[in-house]
Amino acid sequence: MHHIVLERWSRGRSALHRRDARAKIVALLVFLVALATAERAIPQLAAALFLLLCAALVWARIPVLAAMARAGVALPFAATFAAVSWISGDAARGAILAVKSYLSALAVVTVVATTPLPALLRGLETMRVPRFLLTVAQFLYRYLFVVSEEGQHMAKAAAARGASAGRLRFRVAAGALAVLFARSYGRAQEIHGAMLARGYNGRLPTAAAPRFGASDAVFLASASLAPALVRIALDRFA
Amino acid sequence: MHIPDGFLSTPVWAALDAAAAPAVGYMARRAQHAFDESKIPLLGVMGAFVFAAQMINFPVGIGTTGHLVGGALLAYTLGPAAATITMTAILAIQALVFQDGGILALGANTINMAVLGVWAGYLPFHLWGAGKNRGLAVFAGGALSVLVSATLAVAELLMSGVRIAGSVLGVSFALFLAAAALEGAITVSVVGALEKIQPGFVRKPREGRSFALGAVALAALLLATVGLLFASAAPDGIQSLAQQAGVASHARTVLTTPFSGYEAAFVRAAWTRKALAGLAGIGLIYAACVVIGRTVSRRGSA
Amino acid sequence: MMPLIEVRNLTFRYDGGSPALNGVNFRLNPRESVALLGPNGSGKTTFVLHLNGLLSGEGSVEVCGMKLERRNLALIRRKIGLVFQDSESQLFMPTVLEDVAFAPLNSGMERGGALERAMAALKTVEMEAAAARAPYHLSAGEKKRVAIAGILASGPEILALDEPTTFLDPPGQRALAELLADLPQAKIIVTHNIGFAQKLCTRAVFFQRGTIVAEGPVDEIVSRFGWDLALDRSKSRR
């Protein structure tokens, strides 16, 4: 599965991996806003920002081509709308949409590939995102592949009993979903029991927020200034 | 339909991010209140379930398949506030880990699917889920959640100046209707199967809701959604409609002043007007859902 | 000699069902290991869930001389560690170290001390190298070891293990038996694995329809109920 790749990349030890999650989140937002709000000189801006991301990926020792392929997940949607835009007589706009959404996805890949998800969620928590939501997201990610595997087993079992894969009859599929629901519900209760058994008192203990060091500040300043300056320069002179 | 970054114009994504933040914060407090933190694993695992559920395909005919979206089902089982939080967590993980939907567009996707989609889906169930039309209510909720989410997404794209030809729009709408009907059908059969496994899984809304009140609320929601689409597709249309109908000029001013009457520079550009008209529409739907939500919670706690 | 666990006349029924436990009497002495045998659905797991108050029925449960009540629940849950059948449900935190540190952190220990204690527990089960990994990616045997470390981290006097050999291959089962044999705590082991029970336990109790119908040395109970794969023996019993 694709996720394993991202998770493996995120356990790297480069200087970019070691930067504080908050610094990377802010830099990502600056990058995305600089790209999203641009209306002039898009090709030049896109080229410059693309090189910036490539430099970051190389610095983090992440395979650039594989990361680019990973970001390509965003393309089908973008391509559909680019085509729609083209049919509707606005080809240039369609191309811009595709480029902007692809670069944005690549930027997200760069951050997620250099920051383990728990660290990212912890960073968001110190940035005032509701803790309740983040804890739900943490559990969701923890059990995502466990439940998915159960779902796949069930689909396989149904296929083995005659329903050709992917074409279960409607009722059978609904029954399978209901069973998967019940199992997930049971698992949640078991998890809750396991938490209580180890003294859970209504608050998940969190790791202390990592220290935001001087190198994080330097990184934050340069990583946010770079896309902003590129953007300003192109707006002025292009 | 997860909108990626780059598609929405700045006022649209910024406004929707600004709207989504307090909405999700409010829902988080409500869900936390209803569940206490003991149920956090439940919401997380059910989010994982919705993810996994999307891998189980339902035959639609002619070799094509569809899958569950899940907003309405979550609302029926966990309650609407918890469903909103679970859907928001799903959208966040999809955006971060699977590059499905953008980061700046997260607010838009959250409003579309986790907030308005979930609450629109819960409404018919809340109104008629206890009576003899329960099956119909479950179906309508599933269908409505998908229809509202998809319509909002298209409206936001139109507001952002993405050009979509009328014919394409027509085809998309036909597809949305089909997807909505499918979601309704899947939701009905899964709810049926769940109640056979353990009746307690699906909530029991209280009986005795006024049919008329519910019908009016539902009609208002549908009108606002469709109206929003028209407003964002052709904000000038309202004005010309008023003229054709022979409405006196002062009435026209009253009708259209907020969006297009003033000749201030910032509303002169067509896309700005579109965006403003559309955002006002979303605001109305948002307000409607908040009001409905408040009433629901007050009755629930009474 | 004061028993570690003293259960008297415990009765419990799940909502609206027939009794899952029906007048159970049980006693666990210090340094003793007891196997809980019996058919599926005979109440073994339900019984274990009563020992730390995850379920509560009629009758009395005393752990380390304390009557199981709401006010000393936290203390009792530290004395008796529950290892669930499915480690996946027990390892709910994003990384191994955070998971093992869960109980110490919940008991109000400061972070540094809790992590130290978690590392020590991981060393006991020889899993310290996996501290930074995500539990999802561990093998079944590794997961079970980490789950046990998570229990050891709160310094229990009793270990209760529910079907610990499920999902483990024979070498994994042997390694687990060796690990458990080296741990000084008293143990309650729910299992269908007779070899495992014989290796670890001095005494067995046999559950049937929610109550303990016999107790004695493991071999005696096994042969009395024909509770192994030797079919001729069960035939000769009839």
Side-chain angles (χ1 to χ4, degrees), chain C residues 17-55:
Chain C
S18 53
L21 292 179
N22 201 353
V24 175
N25 292 296
F26 177 82
R27 190 185 170 102
L28 180 75
N29 295 313
R31 284 184 298 284
E32 189 187 26
S33 289
V34 178
L36 268 51
L37 307 179
N40 296 324
S42 57
K44 304 184 296 290
T45 299
T46 305
F47 172 71
V48 169
L49 291 177
H50 277 83
L51 297 179
N52 70 351
L54 284 181
L55 292 177

Side-chain angles (χ1 to χ4, degrees), chain C residues 41-92:
Chain C
S42 57
K44 304 184 296 290
T45 299
T46 305
F47 172 71
V48 169
L49 291 177
H50 277 83
L51 297 179
N52 70 351
L54 284 181
L55 292 177
S56 62
E58 292 159 42
S60 82
V61 177
E62 272 177 39
V63 177
C64 300
M66 290 176 289
K67 200 163 159 34
L68 189 80
E69 283 169 345
R70 210 182 158 70
R71 63 186 167 81
N72 53 25
L73 215 51
L75 195 56
I76 284 180
R77 282 177 180 167
R78 244 174 285 162
K79 296 274 184 203
I80 175 162
L82 215 61
V83 181
F84 286 68
Q85 178 174 11
D86 187 352
S87 319
E88 205 74 82
S89 297
Q90 186 154 12
L91 308 176
F92 44 79

Side-chain angles (χ1 to χ4, degrees), chain A residues 5 8-9 57-58 60-69:
Chain A
V5 174
R8 203 177 60 225
W9 287 343
L57 287 168
V58 169
R61 277 176 244 125
I62 285 165
V64 178
L65 285 179
M68 282 168 62

Side-chain angles (χ1 to χ4, degrees), chain B residues 270-287:
Chain B
W271 69 267
T272 326
R273 259 181 295 165
K274 275 188 191 180
L276 284 176
L279 288 176
I282 293 183
L284 281 178
I285 301 183
Y286 185 48

Side-chain angles (χ1 to χ4, degrees), chain C:
Chain C
M1 190 167 55
M2 191 187 73
L4 282 175
I5 294 181
E6 177 87 67
V7 176
R8 282 196 208 94
N9 207 15
L10 184 63
T11 299
F12 175 78
R13 58 181 75 217
Y14 288 100
D15 310 321
S18 53
L21 292 179
N22 201 353
V24 175
N25 292 296
F26 177 82
R27 190 185 170 102
L28 180 75
N29 295 313
R31 284 184 298 284
E32 189 187 26
S33 289
V34 178
L36 268 51
L37 307 179
N40 296 324
S42 57
K44 304 184 296 290
T45 299
T46 305
F47 172 71
V48 169
L49 291 177
H50 277 83
L51 297 179
N52 70 351
L54 284 181
L55 292 177
S56 62
E58 292 159 42
S60 82
V61 177
E62 272 177 39
V63 177
C64 300
M66 290 176 289
K67 200 163 159 34
L68 189 80
E69 283 169 345
R70 210 182 158 70
R71 63 186 167 81
N72 53 25
L73 215 51
L75 195 56
I76 284 180
R77 282 177 180 167
R78 244 174 285 162
K79 296 274 184 203
I80 175 162
L82 215 61
V83 181
F84 286 68
Q85 178 174 11
D86 187 352
S87 319
E88 205 74 82
S89 297
Q90 186 154 12
L91 308 176
F92 44 79
M93 295 297 276
T95 65
V96 165
L97 185 62
E98 278 174 280
D99 198 275
V100 177
F102 181 83
L105 283 174
N106 266 321
S107 70
M109 198 181 263
E110 54 85 32
R111 195 167 170 77
L115 289 182
E116 231 166 75
R117 200 157 176 174
M119 264 329 265
L122 280 173
K123 254 188 205 107
T124 311
V125 301
E126 295 169 2
M127 285 297 293
E128 66 269 35
R133 292 177 65 189
Y136 175 70
H137 297 301
L138 303 176
S139 75
E142 292 171 326
K143 278 179 195 157
K144 189 57 80 187
R145 282 172 175 270
V146 172
I148 291 171
I151 298 308
L152 292 179
S154 50
E157 292 182 29
I158 306 154
L159 299 179
L161 302 104
D162 191 359
E163 299 279 5
T165 55
T166 319
F167 309 124
L168 299 187
D169 53 18
Q173 296 179 9
R174 201 183 324 124
L176 180 65
E178 280 159 13
L179 167 69
L180 289 175
D182 286 342
L183 294 175
Q185 284 87 352
K187 296 170 199 86
I188 295 175
I189 302 177
V190 177
T191 188
H192 289 314
N193 187 332
I194 297 309
F196 193 78
Q198 283 164 330
K199 203 165 169 141
L200 282 169
C201 302
T202 45
R203 186 160 69 97
V205 299
F206 198 86
F207 271 77
Q208 220 165 36
R209 281 182 231 97
T211 191
I212 293 176
V213 292
E215 67 175 294
V218 178
D219 288 330
E220 194 187 303
I221 296 289
V222 166
S223 69
R224 189 155 135 210
F225 290 90
W227 214 242
D228 57 11
L229 290 175
L231 291 172
D232 51 335
R233 194 156 41 180
S234 65
K235 239 180 252 163
S236 69
R237 194 166 53 96
R238 281 187 197 138

